[in-house]
Amino acid sequence: PKNAEDVLDMCEILFGKDFLETHAVTTGNCNGNSPLVWDQVMLGAMRAFCRRNQPVLCSPFVLGGANTPASTAAAVAQLNAEALSALAYTQVIRKGCPAIYGHYLSTVSMQSGAPMAGTPEISLMNFMIGQMARRYNVPWRTSNLLGGAKIFDAQAGYESAMTMMAVLMSGANYIWHSAGWNEAGMHCSIAKFVVDAEVCDMGYRMTKGIQWDDFDEALAAVRDVGPGGHYLGHPHTQANFERAFFIPKLFDNNSIEQWYADGSKDIKQRALEHARRLLAEYEEPMLDIAKDEELRTYIDRRSREIPAVDALNEEY
């Protein structure tokens, strides 16, 4: 709870107390201890965020088969009860404060006990949770582009793509864990991070749906070109080619001859080169000098006040 208060104090310094009352500037993530427990640490943090009118994620942490029943439907039933109890509690703290139906989904290997990501059951859970959240008319959060692979390989891509499609189709409102996640979230791949960012761009394009604003002009082009022609030089193509179809930056769609000419680089090589360019070109956003000094003063004071880790260990 005190850590949450520190975060919110710094947000108040940066944005102002009145601004926090009417705007979401940070999000608290409170994980339940499944099965069926909300501990005092998480509830204390939840109270801190709700009192400042900042949104909190009420997030049961699902390890399917370990802390939930080994059943997709029953796991969602338990998760739903846990999430709803926390959502209700936020309104006891402060009626009308923002809160989000949250969760973290994984299944557990019945062979090794290791958490798994990108499995069909996780997608099915997302479909069910999306339906439940809409039934209660509350926004909901899920995770995206997670995989169980240990490196950025085909497994990582397949699992991540399967998860993302389910997340998009289930209508999630707030999506976390969308870039770089491997080994069910245990480590981050820089190469996967930048590729996932492009995949998220593709997903965002897909959720915008079909564009109809140029439909009549496009059909007119069919009449103009007629049988056996091509559209490359048509005015409609020239006016719309940049927005008509998604143009990836990291995925290679050239001919194999062009791919050879460009150095036969696989996606990991291209991704790491792109990441290095991003880091080289990065410009740190600057804070207002007075706000920056006030924040640093607060951090210095709290660093002196917070007991050292060793002292805490000795106490316990």
Side-chain angles (χ1 to χ4, degrees), residues 261-274:
D262 291 338
S264 307
K265 297 175 183 176
D266 64 16
I267 185 65
K268 182 176 180 180
Q269 290 174 285
R270 294 194 300 273
L272 289 174
E273 289 176 1
H274 180 62

Side-chain angles (χ1 to χ4, degrees), residues 78-128:
Q78 176 186 304
L79 175 153
N80 189 60
E82 293 169 341
L84 288 181
S85 65
L87 285 167
Y89 185 63
T90 66
Q91 302 309 297
V92 172
I93 300 166
R94 177 173 177 169
K95 187 178 176 68
C97 68
I100 299 169
Y101 185 133
H103 62 73
Y104 179 88
L105 299 178
S106 67
T107 53
V108 171
S109 170
M110 296 293 105
Q111 296 174 316
S112 67
M116 299 189 294
T119 62
E121 291 76 21
I122 292 173
S123 295
L124 292 171
M125 288 182 192
N126 272 313
F127 291 139
M128 295 175 70

Side-chain angles (χ1 to χ4, degrees), residues 2 38-39 81 89 144 147 167 180 260 262 276 282 289 310:
K2 185 54 188 170
W38 286 96
D39 66 72
Y89 185 63
N144 182 26
V167 165
Y260 280 133
D262 291 338
R276 292 186 182 103
Y282 174 74
I289 294 176
D310 289 343

Side-chain angles (χ1 to χ4, degrees), residues 250-270:
L250 292 175
F251 291 113
D252 183 274
N253 292 286
N254 292 321
S255 67
I256 192 167
E257 292 83 8
Q258 185 62 50
W259 181 70
Y260 280 133
D262 291 338
S264 307
K265 297 175 183 176
D266 64 16
I267 185 65
K268 182 176 180 180
Q269 290 174 285
R270 294 194 300 273

Side-chain angles (χ1 to χ4, degrees), residues 70-280:
S71 159
T72 300
V76 172
Q78 176 186 304
L79 175 153
N80 189 60
E82 293 169 341
L84 288 181
S85 65
L87 285 167
Y89 185 63
T90 66
Q91 302 309 297
V92 172
I93 300 166
R94 177 173 177 169
K95 187 178 176 68
C97 68
I100 299 169
Y101 185 133
H103 62 73
Y104 179 88
L105 299 178
S106 67
T107 53
V108 171
S109 170
M110 296 293 105
Q111 296 174 316
S112 67
M116 299 189 294
T119 62
E121 291 76 21
I122 292 173
S123 295
L124 292 171
M125 288 182 192
N126 272 313
F127 291 139
M128 295 175 70
I129 293 162
Q131 294 281 50
M132 297 306 297
R134 283 186 288 277
R135 176 179 176 84
Y136 302 124
N137 195 28
V138 293
W140 68 287
R141 166 255 169 161
T142 188
S143 299
N144 182 26
L145 291 170
L146 286 165
K150 310 306 175 283
I151 60 174
F152 181 35
D153 59 5
Q155 178 186 338
Y158 289 138
E159 290 175 331
S160 295
M162 186 167 186
T163 303
M164 187 186 79
M165 289 301 295
V167 165
L168 298 183
M169 295 298 181
S170 57
N173 304 109
Y174 190 24
I175 305 173
W176 275 14
H177 308 126
S178 288
W181 291 70
N182 265 340
E183 199 183 350
M186 295 300 291
H187 80 272
C188 177
S189 159
I190 298 300
K192 187 174 186 294
F193 190 101
V194 294
V195 175
D196 284 347
E198 181 157 291
V199 174
C200 285
D201 200 11
M202 295 168 71
Y204 179 74
R205 171 66 185 85
M206 194 179 81
T207 57
K208 291 171 70 176
I210 304 298
Q211 299 179 32
W212 294 96
D213 58 324
D214 66 333
F215 184 66
D216 292 337
E217 293 88 342
L219 281 186
V222 177
R223 292 189 289 272
D224 293 343
V225 172
H230 70 79
Y231 294 82
L232 294 175
H234 191 276
H236 176 267
T237 304
Q238 296 297 312
N240 290 278
F241 75 94
E242 288 184 306
R243 75 178 189 119
F245 308 115
F246 185 87
I247 302 175
K249 298 178 178 64
L250 292 175
F251 291 113
D252 183 274
N253 292 286
N254 292 321
S255 67
I256 192 167
E257 292 83 8
Q258 185 62 50
W259 181 70
Y260 280 133
D262 291 338
S264 307
K265 297 175 183 176
D266 64 16
I267 185 65
K268 182 176 180 180
Q269 290 174 285
R270 294 194 300 273
L272 289 174
E273 289 176 1
H274 180 62
R276 292 186 182 103
R277 284 194 299 271
L278 290 174
L279 290 171

